[in-house]
């Protein structure tokens, strides 16, 4: 692979809503640039980009793919990111290291949620953007309707750079508004300007020029003076507008038939910024915590961000990185600034899909991969020990789906821990924890599909077969009234017998107080050496309540009297007596069930607020506040955990995929009387 100057590199991410055709467009890019000699099809599982077994089985992208190609003397590091919102973590990884976001829209579907989400994320990151309207040759395709929707949603910065000549089955080519030339859809050859688009061409070219001159004072003065602008001047103005985010150009194609795709490739190398054109990245000096600016200079101090890790049981770990400053070389050492340790670099690679090409070095602005790094993971910075630098990491969205992982066999249980560790290393949007209250292993993910794909990866990659179930709700039990109880444990079996006799008081505590034990025994009714055994017996007994076997909380138990036998009493006898006395006590103290209540912040477009509120009412939610924030509303509510276990699917359905939420535990409160019997019956059945 030839070396490229930093200024000749284009790092672009390809994003869209699921099904808009990103992977198909990627295939066309690779074919046109000579990387492949045949365009693969998603439905056939023959694309270079979708190589994971889950991708070929499901016909969707589930992880990002790095697809570099050369075009017009430039190296384009294209990252094809998944479109389904369940895999938004992969989108965040890709967006962290690209210099331009190319957002693909379906000409038949208009503005969809996946594209909307990446638009918002790109806006937050200050990423230059370019839009491609795909599937222009499909039935019901409408370029101008799609552009109108985009302008209504995203503003006047949306500016067509091309317009299609014809649509649906009559798509004949594209009209370049900058140069005023028409190109045939098939071979891309220049063709005469059709008479029926001349008036439309003049009107839309004027809008394009107006957008271009707003970014250059000299061009603006020339335009206002009525002087004609050259094609190069228009291009320079557009390039400046794309770089500062004031212009988002729109192009058009049919990726499936590779029509008008070469013009998009031309636009990428001409208009998308190189790493040199982007602002210098800011890093923290690990030694002083001082912020330093790092321009994209191959001779600068080394600083590379790890943005993706894949774990393979045969090949091992593959670490993807982008170099922001300096140069990384094969067979050398780097310093992981986040973990403060040295890593040995073996062979560096240029990666395309599942193929790896060895390279000697990767310089500033470029993207590469390292095999078998031991400690480094996604979000870490690789730098040098004498100038240890930490680049901004990757912040992933909060998970919204929770599932209980149940191994299908003993062998799967034995291998589960290692498989979970490797999966979490590969996908930081996944987390796994042990729920102490229920004993379950809980998987958190960005959606049901994400969780299911993760389970399948554990099976195919690491040989661990698991079942995903709805997690149990960690109910609790408590008491409502004070009471006293007594129990005498007495056994005589020949030789030493067993004797323990206790009197306990049980009383409720405020919600969230937990458990307290005290004693006020007088006169040695229970010798001091047995009081600890009484407390131990009670503490063991609180793990299983009398209603449904859930732990008992928010109560105080006091040992206030008892009796003992000089020969037959023992710690075990008093422990048994305490356990029985405790259970008698809580049976008499009006036991009730408690359920966890979650604090939930739901963010939805304003038009869905009414429907969301209605749904919350059916879920026993209590709305605490409603805050409008620029076209969306944030609803803060408390809602029982039992009602939230499938909420990600419910919210997606109600808001057409445009809603999101964050959730955390808030408090426990009593289960309503009409629901408690069902919970108790289910617990006893299990």
């Amino acid at each position: 692979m030839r070396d490229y100057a930093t200024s000749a590199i284009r790092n672009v991410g390809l994003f869209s809503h699921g099904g808009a055709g990103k992977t198909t467009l990627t295939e066309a890019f690779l074919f046109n640039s000579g990387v492949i000699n045949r365009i693969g099809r998603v439905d056939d599982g023959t694309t270079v980009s979708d190589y994971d077994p889950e991708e070929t089985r499901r016909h969707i992208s589930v992880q990002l793919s790095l697809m570099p190609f050369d075009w017009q003397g430039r190296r384009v590091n294209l990252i094809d990111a998944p479109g389904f919102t369940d895999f938004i973590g992969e989108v965040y990884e890709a967006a962290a290291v690209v210099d331009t976001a190319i957002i693909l829209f379906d000409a038949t579907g208009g503005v969809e949620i996946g594209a909307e989400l990446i638009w918002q994320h790109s806006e937050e990151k200050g990423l230059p953007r370019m839009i491609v309207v795909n599937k222009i040759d499909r039935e019901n395709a409408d370029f101008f309707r799609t552009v109108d929707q985009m302008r209504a949603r995203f503003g006047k910065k949306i500016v067509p750079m091309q317009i299609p000549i014809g649509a649906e089955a009559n798509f004949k080519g594209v009209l370049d508004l900058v140069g005023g030339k028409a190109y045939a859809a098939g071979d891309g050859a220049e063709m005469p300007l059709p008479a029926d688009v001349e008036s439309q061409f003049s009107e839309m070219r004027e809008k394009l020029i107006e957008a271009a001159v707003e970014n250059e004072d000299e061009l603006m003065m020339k335009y206002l003076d009525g002087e004609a602008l050259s094609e190069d001047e228009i291009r320079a103005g557009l390039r400046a507008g794309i770089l500062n985010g004031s212009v988002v150009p729109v192009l058009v194609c049919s990726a499936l038939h590779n029509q008008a795709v070469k013009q998009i490739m031309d636009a990428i190398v001409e208009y998308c910024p190189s790493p040199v054109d982007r602002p210098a990245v800011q890093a923290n000096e690990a030694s002083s915590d001082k912020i330093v600016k790092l321009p994209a200079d191959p001779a600068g101090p080394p600083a590379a961000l790890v943005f993706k890790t894949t774990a393979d049981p045969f090949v091992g770990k593959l670490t993807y990185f982008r170099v922001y400053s300096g140069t990384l070389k094969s067979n050398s050492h780097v310093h992981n600034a986040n973990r403060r340790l040295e890593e040995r670099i073996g062979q560096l690679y240029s990666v395309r899909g599942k193929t790896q090409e060895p390279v000697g070095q990767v310089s500033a602005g470029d993207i590469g991969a390292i095999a078998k790094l031991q400690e480094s993971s996604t979000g870490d910075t690789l730098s040098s020990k004498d100038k240890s630098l930490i680049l901004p990491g990757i912040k992933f969205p909060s998970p919204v789906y929770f599932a209980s992982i149940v191994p299908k066999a003993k062998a799967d249980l034995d291998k589960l821990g290692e498989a979970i560790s490797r999966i979490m290393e590969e996908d930081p949007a996944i987390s796994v924890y042990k729920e102490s209250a229920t004993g379950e292993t809980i998987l958190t993910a960005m959606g049901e599909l994400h969780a299911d794909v993760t389970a399948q990866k554990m099976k195919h990659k690491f040989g661990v077969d698991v079942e995903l179930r709805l997690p149990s709700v960690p109910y609790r039990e408590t008491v409502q009234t004070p009471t006293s109880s007594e129990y005498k444990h007495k056994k005589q079996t020949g030789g030493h017998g067993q004797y323990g006799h206790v009197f306990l008081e049980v009383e409720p505590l405020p919600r969230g107080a937990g458990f307290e034990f005290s004693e006020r025994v007088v006169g040695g009714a229970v010798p001091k050496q047995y009081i600890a055994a009484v407390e131990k017996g009670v503490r063991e007994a609180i793990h299983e309540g009398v209603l449904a076997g859930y732990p008992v909380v928010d109560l105080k138990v006091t040992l206030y009297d008892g009796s003992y036998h000089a020969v037959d009493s023992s710690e075990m006898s008093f422990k048994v007596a305490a356990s029985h006395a405790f259970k008698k006590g809580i049976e008499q103290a009006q036991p009730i069930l408690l359920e966890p209540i979650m604090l939930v912040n739901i963010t939805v477009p304003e038009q869905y607020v009414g429907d969301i509120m209605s749904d919350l009412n059916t879920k026993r939610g209590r709305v605490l506040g409603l805050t409008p924030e620029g076209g969306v509303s944030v609803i803060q509510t408390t809602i029982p955990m039992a009602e939230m276990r499938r909420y990600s699917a419910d919210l997606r359905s109600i808001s057409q995929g445009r809603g999101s939420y964050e959730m955390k535990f808030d408090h426990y409160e009593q289960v309503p009387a009409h629901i408690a019997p069902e919970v108790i019956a289910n617990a006893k059945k299990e």
Side-chain angles (χ1 to χ4, degrees):
M1 188 192 77
R2 59 177 283 197
D3 289 329
Y4 283 92
T6 303
S7 59
I9 295 171
R10 303 290 184 270
N11 295 313
V12 297
L14 190 54
F15 308 100
S16 79
H17 187 79
K22 293 181 311 304
T23 300
T24 303
L25 182 58
T26 299
E27 287 289 302
F29 287 159
L30 298 179
F31 177 79
N32 292 338
S33 59
V35 172
I36 56 177
N37 54 24
R38 175 178 169 273
I39 295 179
R41 291 176 59 89
V42 173
D43 290 343
D44 298 337
T46 55
T47 63
V48 180
S49 186
D50 287 350
Y51 58 88
D52 184 271
E54 282 302 296
E55 294 178 316
T56 53
R57 183 170 77 89
R58 297 172 187 265
H59 306 306
I60 61 170
S61 299
V62 303
Q63 63 184 17
L64 67 81
S65 296
L66 184 58
M67 295 287 142
F69 61 88
D70 299 341
W71 189 251
Q72 293 187 4
R74 307 287 192 275
R75 175 178 175 81
V76 180
N77 287 319
L78 180 79
I79 301 181
D80 176 15
F84 287 86
T85 53
D86 282 51
F87 307 105
I88 192 73
E90 302 283 328
V91 171
Y92 277 42
E93 289 176 338
V97 294
V98 297
D99 297 313
T100 308
I102 299 179
I103 308 177
L104 201 63
F105 287 81
D106 183 341
T108 65
V111 177
E112 296 177 286
I113 181 58
E116 208 171 321
L117 291 174
I118 190 58
W119 177 277
Q120 293 167 359
H121 189 60
S122 303
E123 191 103 303
E124 291 165 6
K125 293 183 66 64
L127 270 181
R129 276 148 287 175
M130 180 180 285
I131 287 173
V132 175
V133 177
N134 187 28
K135 303 186 182 181
I136 193 63
D137 55 346
R138 293 281 184 91
E139 188 178 348
N140 296 321
D142 192 325
F143 175 82
F144 300 101
R145 179 189 63 207
T146 304
V147 169
D148 287 343
Q149 287 182 12
M150 289 188 288
R151 289 175 71 88
R153 192 69 54 84
F154 306 133
K156 294 181 179 178
K157 62 176 70 176
I158 304 293
V159 182
M161 188 182 284
Q162 296 174 342
I163 57 174
I165 301 170
E168 301 182 347
N170 294 318
F171 175 56
K172 297 183 176 65
V174 293
L175 181 53
D176 174 19
L177 296 176
V178 179
K181 295 176 181 176
Y183 299 94
D187 58 6
E190 190 174 335
M191 59 184 276
L193 189 68
D196 58 348
V197 297
E198 283 188 8
S199 61
Q200 198 174 39
F201 165 73
S202 301
E203 178 189 342
M204 299 200 75
R205 189 171 194 267
E206 193 65 26
K207 289 180 180 178
L208 182 74
I209 293 172
E210 288 174 3
V213 300
E214 286 182 3
N215 301 287
E216 297 283 350
D217 291 342
E218 190 177 325
L219 293 182
M220 176 65 84
M221 294 303 297
K222 195 171 179 181
Y223 176 74
L224 292 175
D225 289 340
E227 293 184 48
L229 300 180
S230 70
E231 191 176 318
D232 287 343
E233 288 173 324
I234 297 171
R235 293 183 189 280
L238 289 173
R239 196 177 296 114
I242 292 168
L243 186 58
N244 66 31
S246 65
V247 174
V248 178
V250 183
L251 299 97
V252 63
C253 74
S254 167
L256 183 63
H257 298 108
N258 195 15
Q259 294 175 334
V261 173
K262 288 182 179 178
Q263 284 81 9
I264 295 169
M265 299 167 75
D266 292 342
I268 288 172
V269 299
E270 181 167 4
Y271 293 103
C272 292
S274 75
V276 174
D277 300 320
R278 296 281 286 146
V281 69
Q282 293 188 338
N284 277 63
E285 269 189 349
S287 58
S288 64
D289 212 28
K290 186 174 73 175
I291 294 177
V292 295
K293 290 187 176 182
L294 298 175
D297 180 5
L305 179 70
V306 175
F307 69 93
K308 177 69 182 171
T309 306
T310 61
D312 189 283
F314 305 108
V315 178
K317 191 163 83 168
L318 191 64
T319 302
Y320 293 75
F321 62 90
R322 171 176 168 172
V323 181
Y324 282 89
S325 172
T327 301
L328 265 59
K329 297 184 178 181
S330 292
N331 303 310
S332 62
H333 287 81
V334 290
H335 179 72
N336 185 316
N338 301 77
R339 301 172 189 267
R340 299 184 178 182
L341 49 81
E342 294 292 301
E343 285 268 47
R344 185 186 178 280
I345 294 179
Q347 180 64 56
L348 295 178
Y349 296 97
S350 172
V351 175
R352 181 180 294 113
K354 63 181 178 181
T355 64
Q356 300 150 22
E357 180 184 347
V359 295
Q361 64 182 36
V362 181
S363 299
D366 212 348
I367 293 174
I370 312 168
K372 300 178 182 177
L373 279 190
Q374 297 300 309
E375 304 292 340
S376 300
S377 60
T378 302
D380 287 350
T381 300
L382 307 178
S383 64
S384 62
K385 194 169 185 179
D386 58 336
K387 193 169 180 62
S388 185
L389 300 166
I390 300 178
L391 293 164
I394 304 172
K395 185 179 179 182
F396 292 92
S398 301
V400 298
Y401 185 82
F402 299 79
S404 172
I405 303 176
V406 182
K408 290 189 176 179
K410 173 71 167 62
D412 298 315
L413 178 62
D414 295 339
K415 296 184 288 184
L416 182 62
E418 174 66 16
I420 286 173
S421 175
R422 301 288 292 277
I423 283 289
M424 288 171 62
E425 187 176 55
E426 186 174 279
D427 188 353
I430 287 284
S431 67
V432 178
Y433 66 91
K434 190 84 169 179
E435 174 54 69
S436 57
T438 62
E440 293 176 320
T441 301
I442 303 297
L443 170 76
T444 74
M446 299 310 302
E448 189 170 357
L449 178 60
H450 187 202
D452 186 53
V453 166
T454 300
Q456 292 302 318
K457 281 187 175 182
M458 290 172 69
K459 180 179 180 179
H460 295 131
K461 279 192 169 187
F462 307 110
V464 178
D465 203 359
V466 299
E467 183 182 347
L468 297 181
R469 299 176 183 170
L470 276 179
S472 302
V473 177
Y475 291 101
R476 299 284 188 266
E477 298 181 24
T478 192
V479 297
Q480 297 185 89
T481 60
T483 189
S484 298
S485 62
E486 173 205 7
Y487 190 83
K488 184 184 289 186
H489 177 65
K490 186 177 180 181
K491 266 189 182 178
Q492 194 67 45
T493 55
H496 281 306
Q498 298 178 28
Y499 185 92
H501 183 202
V502 298
F503 290 81
L504 300 179
E505 278 181 359
V506 177
E507 57 186 305
L509 290 177
R511 199 68 66 237
F515 170 75
E516 289 182 23
F517 178 84
S518 67
E519 59 88 12
R520 60 170 194 272
V521 177
V522 294
V526 177
K528 288 195 178 295
Q529 67 264 34
Y530 298 136
I531 291 176
V534 173
E535 180 177 357
K536 187 174 183 183
V538 172
R539 286 192 178 275
E540 288 182 2
I542 66 173
H543 292 300
E544 189 174 317
V546 296
L547 289 177
Y550 292 109
V552 187
V553 296
D554 301 340
L555 78 165
K556 181 179 180 179
V557 176
T558 304
L559 170 67
Y560 68 92
D561 202 358
S563 64
Y564 72 101
H565 188 280
V567 176
D568 292 344
S569 286
S570 64
E571 289 187 2
M572 179 57 70
S573 298
F574 274 97
K575 182 178 166 185
V576 172
S579 175
H580 284 285
F582 173 76
K583 290 196 173 180
K584 278 179 67 178
I586 60 173
E587 283 175 351
Q588 299 164 9
Q590 296 183 24
I592 57 171
L593 269 184
L594 300 176
E595 64 180 340
I597 304 297
M598 314 306 288
L599 181 65
V600 185
N601 287 323
I602 306 166
T603 304
V604 289
E606 290 174 351
Q607 66 262 38
Y608 301 111
V609 168
D611 293 337
I612 295 294
M613 295 281 210
S614 298
D615 183 63
L616 290 175
N617 287 334
T618 68
K619 290 178 164 59
R620 300 188 283 135
R622 289 196 290 268
V623 175
L624 305 178
L626 177 63
T627 309
E629 291 183 359
V632 300
S633 292
V634 180
I635 304 167
Q636 187 174 67
T637 179
T638 54
I639 189 167
M641 179 190 283
E643 306 285 352
M644 291 296 295
R645 293 187 295 168
R646 289 194 181 278
Y647 192 64
S648 60
D650 293 345
L651 179 62
R652 189 170 295 175
S653 173
I654 295 169
S655 67
Q656 297 182 25
R658 288 183 163 83
S660 63
Y661 73 97
E662 293 182 346
M663 175 176 74
K664 64 179 181 179
F665 170 75
D666 195 62
H667 65 281
Y668 271 90
E669 64 181 47
Q670 183 177 352
V671 177
H674 68 284
I675 294 176
E678 183 183 351
V679 175
I680 293 168
N682 289 338
K684 288 180 177 178
K685 193 187 298 181
E686 289 174 9

